[in-house]
């Protein structure tokens, strides 16, 4: 299977944001993204797009869906969306507004029945488990709620073995937003535990960070949410350097 | 050729990611309308049949709205062109064994089955991601694209290669299977052109702009 370069857009209360160790900085709305970063052009260099709503406030759900819908109207790749999926209806409306997959986060631990229901209704491939991870020596810990809530990692394995999660999005708690490089050790530890594609996120500050991570055998995809460093020419350069290194990505004209 | 492009009708039977297809059609300069109305469908010159989900459930929804009759009227009587995408392509065939089995629209011969057991033993099913598609010679859909082109797939069932009156594009995932077909005014792709960057936009443009002979 070809590997994937993914861009993640973080949305919080009406605006896209940058995250640095879970402290967020407002960037701009969907129009701003278009005018300042020519996002549609930059999106020609990614294999997939992820939108995460980190508002933690259901009153922004509707605006998030509108934003999703606007973004996907000019981006012709698979799109995953999530954040605040509490019910089957929440998920269904994200699909309706243009998502091909949804991300589940707290529901993995608080409402696994919902995750099973989503998987049966929309297909296992359409449900992505998204968690924050911290490596502790040769072990790891799984977190939700912006790194404040430790969660039982076994639950991920249970849902995967039941066929309820199609892939895992692992964001490094320590590297999140630092631009200091990704933490390949996380995927290495997790690789022995789970038999689904792993998306590694957190810490990419320049193309070689993504290149180093995607080259690892147990990493299927790398994601960055770093608008400042990557959108613009950064995604094109990153894609070129990955292809030149011999890692197989999809090609288009 | 007229300057006024006919609108593209995206068939809506309640199952499918219609928004992306609509966006792609508009991006290519065509007017699109989403409809589940039998009469609108039967009078359309260009139809796109999308679909995600279970084959029997889709057929049930299509029949409940008499969309099958609308599609047959358009494609057989009016010679309108149609493109099925993913499950939509599968629905154009005679039969699928998914979820206990169901006849399809029967517009193009062929049957759809789950990936073979030997594939599932070694590779994850569903088949998800970009995979390379080998275009048939003389293809309208793949005109201007390289002989092998990457497209985005998400599926567990597939049409097996075999004798067919249609031109077949193929892909390999543990076994060779039908990635696309074209026969006169009937087109189908197992992959999602609307999720396949410029490769997919080119293919959709080829379909929309194709002249029927």
């Amino acid at each position: 299977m070809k590997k994937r370069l993914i861009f993640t857009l973080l949305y919080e209360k009406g605006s896209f944001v940058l995250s640095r160790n879970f402290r967020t900085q407002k960037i701009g709305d969907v129009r701003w993204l278009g005018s300042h970063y020519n996002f549609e052009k930059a999106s020609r260099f990614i294999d997939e797009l992820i939108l995460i709503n980190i508002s933690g406030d259901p009153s922004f759900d509707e605006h998030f869906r509108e934003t999703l819908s606007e973004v996907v109207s000019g981006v012709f790749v698979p799109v995953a969306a999530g954040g605040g999926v509490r019910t089957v209806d929440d998920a269904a409306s994200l699909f309706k507004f243009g998502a091909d997959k949804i991300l589940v986060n707290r529901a993995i631990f608080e409402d696994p029945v919902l995750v099973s229901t989503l998987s049966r209704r929309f297909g296992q491939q359409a449900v992505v488990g998204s968690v924050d991870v911290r490596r502790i020596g040769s072990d790891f810990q799984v977190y939700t709620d912006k790194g404040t809530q430790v969660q039982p990692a076994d639950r991920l394995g249970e849902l995967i073995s039941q066929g309820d999660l199609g892939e895992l999005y692992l964001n490094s708690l320590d590297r999140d937003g630092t631009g200091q490089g990704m933490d390949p050790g996380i995927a290495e530890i997790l690789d022995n535990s789970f038999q689904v594609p792993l998306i590694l996120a957190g810490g990419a500050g320049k193309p070689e960070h993504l290149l180093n991570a995607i080259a690892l055998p147990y990493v299927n995809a790398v994601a960055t949410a770093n608008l400042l460093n990557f959108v613009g020419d950064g995604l094109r350069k990153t894609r070129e350097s990955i292809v030149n290194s011999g890692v197989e990505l999809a090609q288009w004209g | 050729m007229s300057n006024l492009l006919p609108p593209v009708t995206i068939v809506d039977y309640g199952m499918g990611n219609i928004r992306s297809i609509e966006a792609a059609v508009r991006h290519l300069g065509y007017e699109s309308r989403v409809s589940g109305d039998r009469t609108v469908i039967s009078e359309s010159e260009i139809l796109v049949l999308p679909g995600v989900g279970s084959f029997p459930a889709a057929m049930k929804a299509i029949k409940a709205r008499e969309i099958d009759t609308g599609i047959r009227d358009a494609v057989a009587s009016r010679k309108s062109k149609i493109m099925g995408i993913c499950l939509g392509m599968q629905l154009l065939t005679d039969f699928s064994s998914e979820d206990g089995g169901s006849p399809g629209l029967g517009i193009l011969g062929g049957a759809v089955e789950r990936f073979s057991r030997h594939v599932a033993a070694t590779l994850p099913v569903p088949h998800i991601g970009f995979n390379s598609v080998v275009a048939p010679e003389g293809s309208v859909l793949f005109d201007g694209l390289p002989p092998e082109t990457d497209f985005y797939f998400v599926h567990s069932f597939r049409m097996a290669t075999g004798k067919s009156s249609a031109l077949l594009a193929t892909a390999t995932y543990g076994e060779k299977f039908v990635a696309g077909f074209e026969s006169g005014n009937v087109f189908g792709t197992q992959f999602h052109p609307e999720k396949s960057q410029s490769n997919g936009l080119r293919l959709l443009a080829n379909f929309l702009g194709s002249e029927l002979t």
Side-chain angles (χ1 to χ4, degrees):
Chain A
M1 191 51 62
K2 293 186 170 75
K3 295 200 177 190
R4 294 168 289 161
L5 174 62
I6 299 175
F7 195 80
T8 304
L9 284 170
L10 296 172
Y11 168 98
E12 187 176 35
K13 299 180 179 174
S15 172
F16 291 115
V17 297
L18 283 178
S19 164
R20 188 182 169 89
N21 293 125
F22 300 98
R23 283 188 299 278
T24 56
Q25 177 192 340
K26 264 189 198 252
I27 294 288
D29 65 6
V30 71
R31 256 172 223 98
W32 182 91
L33 194 65
S35 59
H36 282 69
Y37 280 106
N38 194 355
F39 188 71
E40 287 187 7
K41 185 165 174 257
S43 76
R44 303 295 176 247
F45 301 98
I46 57 174
D47 299 278
E48 208 164 305
L49 178 67
I50 296 180
L51 271 88
I52 309 179
N53 177 5
I54 58 168
S55 304
D57 177 350
S59 70
F60 286 95
D61 285 359
E62 195 182 333
H63 186 257
F64 175 67
R65 289 195 290 268
E66 285 165 12
T67 301
L68 166 69
S69 166
E70 269 189 74
V71 171
V72 303
S73 70
V75 175
F76 302 105
V77 289
V79 176
V85 173
R86 287 165 290 265
T87 63
V88 173
D89 282 350
D90 287 343
S93 59
L94 291 176
F95 285 114
K96 187 167 169 251
F97 280 77
D100 301 289
K101 314 177 191 184
I102 47 147
L103 276 79
V104 287
N105 174 235
R106 280 166 71 173
I108 297 167
F109 309 99
E110 292 171 7
D111 193 359
V113 173
L114 171 67
V115 179
S116 302
T117 307
L118 294 176
S119 161
R120 273 201 306 279
R121 173 138 171 210
F122 302 106
Q124 177 190 0
Q125 83 289 339
V127 185
V128 181
S130 161
V131 290
D132 298 312
V133 178
R134 169 173 283 150
R135 189 155 55 100
I136 299 162
S138 61
D139 207 353
F140 66 92
Q141 239 163 6
V142 169
Y143 297 78
T144 57
D145 298 81
K146 303 182 181 180
T148 57
Q149 197 69 40
V150 181
Q151 300 285 6
D154 295 352
R155 185 58 63 70
L156 288 173
E158 285 163 23
L159 285 173
I160 289 166
S161 60
Q162 288 170 30
D164 289 338
L165 292 176
E167 50 192 322
L168 279 182
Y169 181 93
L170 307 171
N171 183 46
S172 165
L173 198 58
D174 295 320
R175 306 291 178 93
D176 177 78
T178 62
Q180 301 290 307
M182 308 187 79
D183 185 355
I186 285 176
E188 188 172 18
I189 293 164
L190 286 170
D191 180 53
N192 302 321
S193 319
F194 306 124
Q195 305 300 318
V196 291
L198 299 180
I199 304 166
L200 191 62
K206 46 186 175 178
E208 65 199 59
H209 293 153
L210 292 165
L211 172 62
N212 292 342
I214 203 172
L216 298 165
Y218 38 83
V219 171
N220 180 264
V222 288
T224 177
N226 193 326
L227 269 163
L228 299 181
N229 291 17
F230 285 97
V231 174
D233 226 17
L235 289 170
R236 182 182 63 77
K237 286 184 181 154
T238 305
R239 192 169 193 87
E240 277 172 12
S241 69
I242 292 172
V243 170
N244 290 339
S245 79
V247 172
E248 204 185 358
L249 295 183
Q251 290 184 51
W252 42 83
Chain B
M1 196 175 141
S2 156
N3 283 329
L4 195 66
L5 299 166
V8 178
T9 302
I10 300 168
V11 179
D12 180 15
Y13 52 94
M15 293 169 66
N17 192 344
I18 285 173
R19 200 165 283 259
S20 315
I21 294 172
E22 228 187 329
V25 165
R26 289 204 178 127
H27 183 87
L28 293 167
Y30 286 76
E31 190 194 319
S32 81
R33 60 181 171 195
V34 173
S35 178
D37 183 89
R38 173 191 161 172
T39 312
V40 170
I41 291 166
S42 72
E43 289 172 357
S44 296
E45 286 180 48
I46 309 179
L47 292 164
V48 175
L49 182 64
V52 172
S54 147
F55 188 108
M59 280 309 296
K60 205 175 148 194
I62 283 172
K63 284 188 171 162
R65 295 163 169 85
E66 297 183 352
I67 288 172
D68 51 335
T69 316
I71 290 177
R72 280 196 202 94
D73 285 350
V75 176
S77 312
R78 286 181 60 101
K79 295 289 168 202
S80 304
K81 55 188 178 185
I82 187 165
M83 178 153 156
I85 295 175
C86 195
L87 177 63
M89 163 190 147
Q90 299 181 357
L91 293 170
L92 293 174
T93 68
D94 289 328
F95 181 81
S96 169
S97 61
E98 185 171 1
D99 285 348
S102 163
L105 292 165
I107 287 170
L108 193 99
V112 174
E113 286 173 4
R114 187 174 274 281
F115 274 107
S116 308
R117 249 181 235 155
H118 78 266
V119 176
T122 50
L123 292 167
V125 173
H127 167 222
I128 309 172
F130 278 91
N131 199 349
S132 114
V133 173
V134 179
E137 252 180 75
S139 164
V140 170
L141 282 183
F142 292 86
D143 184 41
L145 287 162
E148 286 194 35
T149 311
D150 292 330
F151 290 98
Y152 182 75
F153 289 85
V154 187
H155 63 124
S156 301
F157 285 73
R158 91 286 181 261
M159 191 177 161
T161 54
K163 229 177 153 187
S164 173
S165 55
L167 278 183
L168 301 181
T170 58
T172 302
Y173 188 67
E175 63 185 2
K176 209 189 240 191
F177 65 93
V178 176
F181 56 61
E182 53 190 272
S183 174
N185 54 337
V186 180
F187 301 82
T189 62
Q190 181 59 64
F191 52 83
H192 289 269
E194 78 283 12
K195 298 283 168 193
S196 302
Q197 293 278 18
S198 55
N199 296 345
L201 293 174
R202 174 65 196 248
L203 182 133
L204 275 175
N206 286 344
F207 163 69
L208 296 171
S210 62
E211 302 259 4
L212 293 177
T213 49

